[in-house]
Amino acid sequence: QVQLVESGGGLVQPGGSLRLSCAASGISFSYKFVAWYRQAPGKQRELVAAISISGSPNYADSVKGRFTISRDTTKNTLNLQMNSLKPEDTAVYFCSTRWRGVDYWGQGTQVTVSA
């Protein structure tokens, strides 16, 4: 059974930092497209950061310079370091990967940026 479980979300003040982690079971993050998405109330789910199958990271313009996506193949985790957080970063964050033509998603972790 494939499971993706996000952790690390919470309440943080503007300018603060959080590190999100996604632990995978039943699937490997290696040699796959992996990504973090987020969805705020009333908005579409948007791609935040991803690692292409070639290993290149890419980011949404809104988070460039602030967020860093990384993959730990040994621990089979996907991470998102979020710095200089802004209120507009408030959303449920999901990790995702694709395997054998099927998209897999975690349950999401809430990130709230508020003073």
Side-chain angles (χ1 to χ4, degrees):
Q1 47 186 334
V2 175
Q3 287 189 327
L4 303 180
V5 181
E6 301 95 336
S7 63
L11 175 64
V12 65
Q13 294 183 334
S17 298
L18 284 174
R19 184 175 177 85
L20 305 183
S21 294
C22 177
S25 299
I27 191 171
S28 174
F29 280 139
S30 299
Y31 311 111
K32 298 181 181 67
F33 173 86
V34 291
W36 285 96
Y37 291 79
R38 68 186 181 188
Q39 187 167 25
K43 298 183 65 177
Q44 292 183 323
R45 184 173 296 184
E46 64 174 335
L47 179 66
V48 177
I51 302 175
S52 70
I53 57 175
S54 65
S56 299
N58 47 82
Y59 301 90
D61 288 341
S62 60
V63 307
K64 285 182 179 178
R66 300 189 297 120
F67 291 11
T68 302
I69 186 171
S70 63
R71 173 171 52 195
D72 188 328
T73 57
T74 300
K75 298 179 180 179
N76 200 29
T77 59
L78 182 68
N79 305 115
L80 185 68
Q81 178 66 47
M82 306 186 295
N83 298 325
S84 302
L85 284 162
K86 304 174 180 180
E88 50 262 44
D89 294 319
T90 296
V92 177
Y93 284 70
F94 302 87
C95 64
S96 181
T97 190
R98 190 177 183 94
W99 186 51
R100 295 182 175 180
V102 178
D103 293 328
Y104 294 92
W105 298 86
Q107 83 288 349
T109 185
Q110 177 71 48
V111 172
T112 302
V113 185
S114 176

